[in-house]
Amino acid sequence: MSVQSAQEIDIMHGLKTVLAQIESAVARRSKDLPQVTPRLVAVSKIKPATLIVQAYEAGQRHFGENYVNELADKAKDPLILENCKEIKWHFIGHLQTNKINKLLGSPGLFMVETVDSEKLADNLNKQWLKYRKDEEKLKIMVQINTSGEEAKNGIEPPETCQLVEHVLKNCPNLEFTGLMTIGQYDYDLSKGPNPDFITLVKCREEVCNKLNLDIKNVELSMGMSSDFEHAIEVGATTVRVGSNIFGARPPNFKP
């Protein structure tokens, strides 16, 4: 068996396993939560285009990247352009203003999940005019720092309504789709539900109540390889899973 065929089996097995885990988590989810089918974003950072194509051929469509340069390079990779016509890229890292044009020019860009300031929203709203097709809006999420860690990006939870309202009122080229958090790593679930996830759920409730939004139309992007099932149980509509699909990253890799 070649290395490539072994990788194909691993990718397919990883995807099938994660999708089965998502289905099981949905079954355990409270019926009081919006019954939205969770979206799986396969996080492909530092993984080669060949593995992305394999995941695509196995049925995966949504992929996430943390770095603008990496997303832009992969989005324009001839192998991906040829074989992944319907790929949907999610940007899930910190976005610097000077990288906006490079990101927006990436083929297949589907969503920016990490809007964390009015300035960034305004810049995206302005620059998107250069790249959009017809009257298509750029899908965005507002990122919240639910754990309060200095190393994490995102706005403070009390600022959520103000930023969402700014996007809705002042950014006609953006489509607000939901809220996103990274949360603290390796939370011990024996202590109870992850407080970062609970905070994001509460932020959505507050946004919907204050701004008169339908809760079914406000997504929650939370949960990664180690905790995506729990995230779905408490309300995630998007989970971002990498190593469970593509395999572990090098020990010295810094996320």
Side-chain angles (χ1 to χ4, degrees):
M1 182 181 293
S2 69
V3 173
Q4 184 174 5
S5 60
Q7 288 175 334
E8 285 174 3
I9 292 172
D10 288 343
I11 294 288
M12 289 191 67
H13 175 73
L15 270 175
K16 286 181 179 179
T17 300
V18 169
L19 291 171
Q21 290 172 313
I22 288 174
E23 192 173 336
S24 297
V26 168
R28 297 190 296 270
R29 187 171 58 185
S30 168
K31 301 305 177 187
D32 295 332
L33 291 168
Q35 297 302 298
V36 178
T37 302
R39 175 195 295 120
L40 170 61
V41 175
V43 181
S44 47
K45 57 186 176 185
I46 81 164
K47 298 299 181 179
T50 51
L51 294 191
I52 294 171
V53 172
Q54 289 171 21
Y56 184 93
E57 290 176 345
Q60 181 63 23
R61 291 295 178 267
H62 292 266
F63 293 82
E65 290 290 343
N66 286 62
Y67 300 104
V68 172
N69 289 347
E70 190 167 2
L71 189 152
D73 289 346
K74 287 178 177 175
K76 294 175 181 176
D77 187 293
L79 192 65
I80 291 176
L81 287 172
E82 177 63 29
N83 295 284
C84 309
K85 304 289 189 186
E86 298 176 0
I87 197 167
K88 301 181 191 311
W89 291 106
H90 292 240
F91 184 69
I92 57 175
H94 179 58
L95 180 57
Q96 298 171 307
T97 306
N98 63 346
K99 294 287 184 71
I100 285 178
N101 281 306
K102 188 165 191 176
L103 177 64
L104 297 186
S106 302
L109 180 65
F110 180 77
M111 184 183 295
V112 178
E113 294 197 17
T114 49
V115 174
D116 59 0
S117 70
E118 292 184 4
K119 178 184 176 183
L120 180 57
D122 290 340
N123 273 285
L124 287 169
N125 179 67
K126 179 181 178 181
Q127 299 303 328
W128 182 240
L129 288 171
K130 301 177 186 175
Y131 303 97
R132 71 177 184 179
K133 300 172 184 176
D134 301 321
E135 297 299 312
E136 177 189 17
K137 293 187 176 185
L138 174 66
K139 293 180 173 62
I140 65 102
M141 286 188 174
V142 166
Q143 182 179 5
I144 303 172
N145 185 349
T146 53
S147 62
E149 297 172 83
E150 288 187 12
K152 299 277 189 349
N153 294 301
I155 59 171
E156 299 298 316
E159 301 170 350
T160 306
C161 284
Q162 181 179 337
L163 180 51
V164 172
E165 186 174 27
H166 177 83
V167 171
L168 293 173
K169 289 186 174 181
N170 302 299
C171 302
N173 302 315
L174 304 184
E175 178 184 343
F176 168 70
T177 64
L179 307 175
M180 178 266 209
T181 191
I182 295 174
Q184 60 180 298
Y185 299 115
D186 300 322
Y187 174 75
D188 183 359
L189 289 177
S190 68
K191 298 178 180 178
N194 188 322
D196 292 324
F197 297 167
I198 299 303
T199 295
L200 200 68
V201 170
K202 290 179 179 177
C203 285
R204 176 173 66 177
E205 291 174 358
E206 183 179 2
V207 163
C208 291
N209 289 335
K210 287 191 174 182
L211 302 180
N212 196 28
L213 301 178
D214 186 342
I215 198 169
K216 295 177 182 177
N217 296 329
V218 180
E219 300 183 31
L220 296 180
S221 177
M222 58 188 190
M224 297 182 283
S225 286
S226 62
D227 55 12
F228 69 91
E229 292 176 88
H230 172 61
I232 290 171
E233 290 173 20
V234 297
T237 62
T238 290
V239 291
R240 310 178 303 271
V241 181
S243 56
N244 290 26
I245 298 170
F246 293 105
R249 298 187 184 95
N252 60 349
F253 176 77
K254 295 180 180 180

